[in-house]
Amino acid sequence: EAKRLGSGTYQWFSPELDLGTQQQLTLRTQMQEAIAKQQFEVFYQPIVNNAGAVVAAEALVRWKHPEQGYISPAEFIPLAERTGQIVTIGRWVLEQACRDLPKLREHGVGQVSVNFSPMQFYREDFLQSVEQVVREHGIKPGQLVAEITENVLLRDANVSLTTMSKLRDMGIEIALDDFGTGYASLSYLNIIPAQKLKIDRIFVQNIHNNSRNAAITRGVLTMAAELGMAVVAEGVETADERDYLINYACDFMQGYLFCRPLPIAELIDWLNHK
Ligand code: C2E
Ligand code: MG
Ligand code: MG
Ligand code: MG
């Protein structure tokens, strides 16, 4: 199995849950069923600016398992990446996000952010398929953000940089997700066509009284500003963390403090009562 999957897999990117082989097989078969039966749902988590206005929403997939209830992407995305099922799931998420965008826009959320895995990113038909979805749904420049982790660069920096530029040519913004937790070197920041850096929540946690996290985050904020990129802080859970980030001119924030990821109807409810 490992051999067949070959060297083009990303096993080392996401620490695999400790699932046994049998369990993985079961999950894989169930995922196939889930794709056929459309058991996936997209939740949305608001992204706010430093004045508290909701400017975007991140699409986060959930698997509504018939017996187990909602399963977190942290549990099935790594496996879906290894089996290639992420391609189908990912495309569906992109389509759903584009279908939902008009509703979000009606409620003042102008932009939707979608996660792309390296596995999708390197497919020969990736750009074509994104282009098709964007065209079909009349997505305008600036309305869609592609979230990509820095690890995407490891496999082939030239190809990934070209793909990112082409996404930008389509009017799609690039956000570097989980910034600071991957394996890419800082030198790529000079050439990567990203408009946003999403600083991982491990650096945001307790930022107001963890001087190391604070130093790293302030460094990222300074660097991003010099490079003309905006910063989104992930995983903001407390008012102290938020206030610290605002004080250091962090552009955008996302986290449980503001809102958890919600089904679209609940998000709209939340937006209406905000
Ligand atoms: P991510 O893209 O970095 O998304 C942020 C994760 O942090 C989400 O977890 C979100 O629910 C969680 N989060 C947000 N605010 C807070 C907070 O204040 N505290 C804490 N502790 N967590 C917070 P989620 O939804 O479980 O997704 C996990 C990861 O799964 C995502 O990380 C992303 O890498 C991946 N993922 C989710 N949906 C998709 C998808 O459609 N395609 C791909 N390729 N990956 C996806
Ligand atoms: Mg993300
Ligand atoms: Mg992230
Ligand atoms: Mg993350």
Side-chain angles (χ1 to χ4, degrees):
E1 176 78 356
K3 192 164 185 195
R4 199 181 58 76
L5 288 168
S7 58
T9 59
Y10 297 87
Q11 216 154 333
W12 64 92
F13 287 173
S14 16
E16 185 72 23
L17 290 189
D18 210 6
L19 295 176
T21 312
Q22 191 51 48
Q23 246 178 315
Q24 287 200 28
L25 269 173
T26 310
L27 197 58
R28 178 184 184 156
T29 313
Q30 289 183 343
M31 239 186 323
Q32 207 50 48
E33 254 178 62
I35 291 170
K37 292 184 181 162
Q38 307 190 343
Q39 292 170 353
F40 294 102
E41 285 178 24
V42 177
F43 279 29
Y44 294 94
Q45 185 177 37
I47 298 172
V48 305
N49 67 15
N50 51 27
V54 178
V55 294
E58 180 173 5
L60 294 157
V61 71
R62 267 89 184 104
W63 176 3
K64 198 174 184 185
H65 192 283
E67 287 117 44
Q68 287 164 246
Y70 284 111
I71 302 181
S72 137
E75 290 186 44
F76 65 88
I77 296 280
L79 183 62
E81 277 172 352
R82 291 195 300 113
T83 60
Q85 287 164 309
I86 188 64
V87 174
T88 314
I89 299 169
R91 186 183 156 109
W92 179 82
V93 172
L94 173 63
E95 284 186 307
Q96 191 56 45
C98 291
R99 269 195 291 272
D100 285 337
L101 185 62
K103 257 179 280 173
L104 292 169
R105 287 173 51 76
E106 263 174 48
H107 293 86
V109 183
Q111 194 177 54
V112 72
S113 216
V114 174
N115 294 283
F116 291 103
S117 88
M119 172 81 178
Q120 286 173 276
F121 201 74
Y122 281 102
R123 296 256 309 186
E124 224 164 87
D125 60 358
F126 174 70
L127 286 166
Q128 243 178 294
S129 97
V130 172
E131 214 267 320
Q132 195 199 337
V133 176
V134 160
R135 187 164 14 90
E136 229 166 69
H137 294 271
I139 303 299
K140 304 282 182 307
Q143 294 182 345
L144 179 65
V145 181
E147 296 200 4
I148 297 158
T149 62
E150 62 200 76
N151 288 335
V152 111
L153 292 155
L154 298 182
R155 174 155 147 194
D156 189 330
N158 283 325
V159 167
S160 45
L161 289 170
T162 306
T163 305
M164 287 183 210
S165 302
K166 290 194 171 149
L167 287 174
R168 286 219 23 189
D169 293 345
M170 286 185 225
I172 298 170
E173 270 189 28
I174 310 284
L176 271 185
D177 204 357
D178 303 342
F179 183 72
T181 64
Y183 299 95
S185 82
L186 278 179
S187 61
Y188 71 84
L189 274 183
N190 275 329
I191 45 173
I192 202 161
Q195 290 100 325
K196 285 187 179 127
L197 293 184
K198 297 192 78 172
I199 183 157
D200 196 80
R201 83 180 148 86
I202 62 166
F203 304 116
V204 170
Q205 237 168 50
N206 253 330
I207 190 168
H208 54 290
N209 51 34
N210 178 322
S211 58
R212 291 173 164 268
N213 276 358
I216 292 168
T217 300
R218 289 200 312 264
V220 171
L221 285 165
T222 306
M223 191 173 62
E226 301 272 326
L227 293 170
M229 289 186 248
V231 173
V232 185
E234 297 191 288
V236 179
E237 292 185 350
T238 69
D240 284 335
E241 291 164 354
R242 176 199 59 200
D243 294 344
Y244 189 97
L245 289 160
I246 290 177
N247 201 27
Y248 283 94
C250 182
D251 309 274
F252 304 106
M253 289 169 284
Q254 181 179 358
Y256 295 166
L257 173 68
F258 308 102
C259 188
R260 290 184 177 252
L262 296 173
I264 183 139
E266 287 175 43
L267 177 71
I268 286 171
D269 226 46
W270 179 84
L271 288 165
N272 284 336
H273 292 98
K274 207 169 127 32

